[in-house]
Amino acid sequence: MSGGLWRRALAEFVGTGLLVTVVIGSGIMAARLSSDPGLAQLENASASAAGLTALILFLGPVSGAHFNPVVSLIDWALDRKTRGGLSGLDLLVYLPVQIAGGIGGAILANVMFALRPVSASSKDRFSGHLWLGEVVATAGLVALIFALARSGRTNLAPAAVGVYIGAAGWFTSSTSFANPAVTIARALSDTSTGIAPGSVGPFVLAQLVGALIGGVLAVLLYPKAVGDTGVLVPHGDSEADDPARGVSA
């Protein structure tokens, strides 16, 4: 693994892990401080939105701040002909480190709140209307990300993506997981933000369907990408770090 790819993989591991820590940790804190479900949801959604915005600003220049396997998959699929997106090798590295980072983030959140490091969630989310919510949440997220990327407005991504995730936590029936790595990780925390292991598969499938819809929508609306490189913000690697990639993702 080249030096540049090693740094990008580390950024994706840390970013996905901290994203899960924010989601689960704020959910635990909200449940402990608030007896009102609506207030607890507001606290969790706002913390998740703010945390994601900060993480994109923190790590976006290194890896593009995917933190999400479906974002990496669509980045690879849309730009593989032009070599503007992830290479096949990048994709093979990004996916497992995102999942591993998410699992680490769930463990960290559990331990911070004096819970068992790993506890299978008992929160059942096995229902068709929730799957539809995941399709909608993921399609919107992916369409937004790649619309910004293809129109040369990635500088707006930290705020735009954070705001979208905060809103989707309210307007979708599933409360917007929209991320397979986060979904898998949340199955390891038996807290208010968890998901029962038996509910993970349909959620991930719904996210894949939503990602496909979002990617197609972005291409239909913005058929020609202009100006920018990377998914969220340009990657920080130099050509000397990774000659096969240059400065683009």
Side-chain angles (χ1 to χ4, degrees):
M1 188 183 296
S2 70
L5 181 53
W6 182 89
R7 283 196 301 276
R8 293 194 297 275
L10 177 60
E12 287 297 300
F13 177 86
V14 171
T16 311
L18 290 178
L19 174 59
V20 171
T21 301
V22 169
V23 171
I24 295 178
S26 63
I28 296 171
M29 182 66 80
R32 291 183 177 181
L33 295 179
S34 306
S35 58
D36 183 279
L39 181 57
Q41 175 62 18
L42 175 62
E43 293 162 348
N44 184 222
S46 59
S48 298
L52 179 57
T53 300
L55 288 170
I56 294 171
L57 290 169
F58 173 34
L59 296 168
V62 181
S63 70
H66 295 198
F67 313 149
N68 189 332
V70 297
V71 172
S72 298
L73 281 167
I74 298 300
D75 188 32
W76 169 79
L78 290 184
D79 295 319
R80 59 196 175 94
K81 291 183 179 180
T82 63
R83 296 178 178 238
L86 290 184
S87 69
L89 176 59
D90 291 338
L91 182 66
L92 290 175
V93 172
Y94 271 40
L95 299 185
V97 299
Q98 288 163 349
I99 293 171
I103 292 171
I107 293 172
L108 176 59
N110 288 336
V111 171
M112 277 201 302
F113 286 89
L115 303 175
R116 286 186 297 169
V118 173
S119 57
S121 175
S122 59
K123 194 171 184 65
D124 181 71
R125 299 180 189 264
F126 196 92
S127 181
H129 74 283
L130 299 180
W131 305 335
L132 177 59
E134 278 303 283
V135 172
V136 171
T138 311
L141 175 64
V142 169
L144 171 63
I145 289 171
F146 288 95
L148 292 173
R150 294 175 73 83
S151 60
R153 296 176 294 158
T154 55
N155 61 305
L156 301 177
V161 173
V163 167
Y164 175 82
I165 288 298
W170 281 95
F171 75 74
T172 62
S173 57
S174 64
T175 67
S176 183
F177 286 49
N179 185 328
V182 170
T183 304
I184 292 169
R186 287 169 71 163
L188 304 178
S189 182
D190 192 17
T191 58
S192 61
T193 59
I195 178 172
S199 300
V200 169
F203 259 57
V204 171
L205 179 59
Q207 290 157 4
L208 291 171
V209 172
L212 178 60
I213 293 171
V216 170
L217 183 59
V219 171
L220 290 175
L221 292 172
Y222 298 91
K224 185 176 180 180
V226 294
D228 244 327
T229 59
V231 174
L232 297 180
V233 292
H235 294 180
D237 300 319
S238 69
E239 187 171 352
D241 289 333
D242 195 344
R245 290 174 51 86
V247 295
S248 64

